[in-house]
Amino acid sequence: MKLELVAKTLKELGHPTRLAVYHAVVRAGRQGVAVGSLQQKLNVPGSTLSHHLSGLLSVGLISQRREGRTLFCVADDERFNAMVSFLQNECCADEEPNQ
Amino acid sequence: MKLELVAKTLKELGHPTRLAVYHAVVRAGRQGVAVGSLQQKLNVPGSTLSHHLSGLLSVGLISQRREGRTLFCVADDERFNAMVSFLQNECCADEEPNQ
DNA sequence: AATATATTTCTGGTAACATCGAAATATTAT
DNA sequence: ATAATATTTCGATGTTACCAGAAATATATT
């Protein structure tokens, strides 16, 4: 994963509302959670929520699946794990003296 | 670690230049790296770099130590690990069906 | 077709952030 | 004290993010 993309991904998580949204989506598991439910649960206006969701979608942290009138949001573990791996492998290097 | 602070921390890492700075600081190990070295290595004007460093400092991702005229930047593993733990425990929940 | 529900796009105002040169501060050496 | 080096603060400017109401779109039901 390239640094630029990692930074983008971190930035998306780096907003309290979006982090809370992502948190809720992750906790909803494979089935996901409806946008409307998020709206209620987090008490955020629809337009604002939609804006934040598109941010999370844009970096692939979540994806969506429609069922009738309701859109479900599901977390994409792979993207998340790739980001954490970057942080731990590329960033949070070992304690060995660098020589 | 509280969600608000985690978000702040992620936001600081969520900028390409700051992520690159943090990356370089981490790789420098315990000894750290001088601000001037970062400036050269990353080819960023001093004032801009200083601005970004203060962001990383503000959330405790790095700290500084002076030696004569030069300031060394060192990564603070603890803060970083706390953030990753939050993401993995609070966020990136298990795959067990939530019931 | 008309209505109801779910979600997004539009719009515009405000706040926050990024950038960088110039001036200021801190430290050391002479 | 003066000068040299290292880093930060100031100031000005442009860019991007955030917010939320209103209007628009998409889907389903009757």
Side-chain angles (χ1 to χ4, degrees):
Chain A
M1 202 169 173
K2 202 172 150 274
L3 181 137
E4 280 278 347
L5 180 53
V6 174
K8 262 193 195 168
T9 307
L10 288 165
K11 182 191 154 198
E12 289 304 326
L13 289 179
H15 183 283
T17 302
R18 280 193 301 268
L19 184 56
V21 166
Y22 182 70
H23 180 226
V25 171
V26 168
R27 295 194 75 100
R30 291 183 187 286
Q31 186 186 352
V33 57
V35 174
S37 300
L38 288 170
Q39 199 177 170
Q40 280 192 294
K41 191 179 306 188
L42 301 176
N43 199 34
V44 174
S47 58
T48 301
L49 176 58
S50 181
H51 173 255
H52 286 310
L53 285 174
S54 79
L56 293 172
L57 282 162
S58 75
V59 296
L61 277 168
I62 66 173
S63 58
Q64 293 182 320
R65 159 180 50 88
R66 178 174 285 277
E67 259 174 46
R69 282 183 280 210
T70 79
L71 255 191
F72 288 87
C73 303
V74 189
D76 182 340
D77 291 2
E78 224 170 298
R79 176 52 56 91
F80 178 86
N81 289 332
M83 184 201 71
V84 173
S85 293
F86 176 94
L87 289 177
Q88 293 187 319
N89 297 336
E90 300 289 312
C91 250
C92 195
D94 33 69
E95 279 303 324
E96 297 140 32
N98 56 323
Q99 50 200 354
Chain B
M1 202 170 174
K2 202 170 150 273
L3 181 137
E4 280 278 348
L5 180 53
V6 174
K8 261 192 196 167
T9 307
L10 289 165
K11 180 191 154 199
E12 290 303 327
L13 289 180
H15 183 285
T17 302
R18 280 193 302 268
L19 185 54
V21 167
Y22 182 70
H23 180 227
V25 171
V26 169
R27 294 195 75 100
R30 291 182 187 286
Q31 186 186 351
V33 57
V35 174
S37 300
L38 288 170
Q39 199 177 165
Q40 281 192 295
K41 191 179 304 187
L42 301 175
N43 200 32
V44 175
S47 57
T48 302
L49 176 58
S50 181
H51 175 254
H52 286 310
L53 285 174
S54 79
L56 294 171
L57 281 163
S58 75
V59 297
L61 278 168
I62 66 173
S63 59
Q64 293 182 321
R65 160 180 51 88
R66 178 174 285 277
E67 259 175 46
R69 283 183 278 212
T70 79
L71 256 189
F72 287 86
C73 303
V74 190
D76 183 340
D77 290 3
E78 225 171 296
R79 175 53 55 91
F80 178 85
N81 289 331
M83 184 200 72
V84 173
S85 293
F86 176 94
L87 289 177
Q88 293 188 319
N89 298 335
E90 299 289 310
C91 250
C92 196
D94 33 71
E95 278 303 325
E96 297 139 33
N98 57 323
Q99 48 201 353

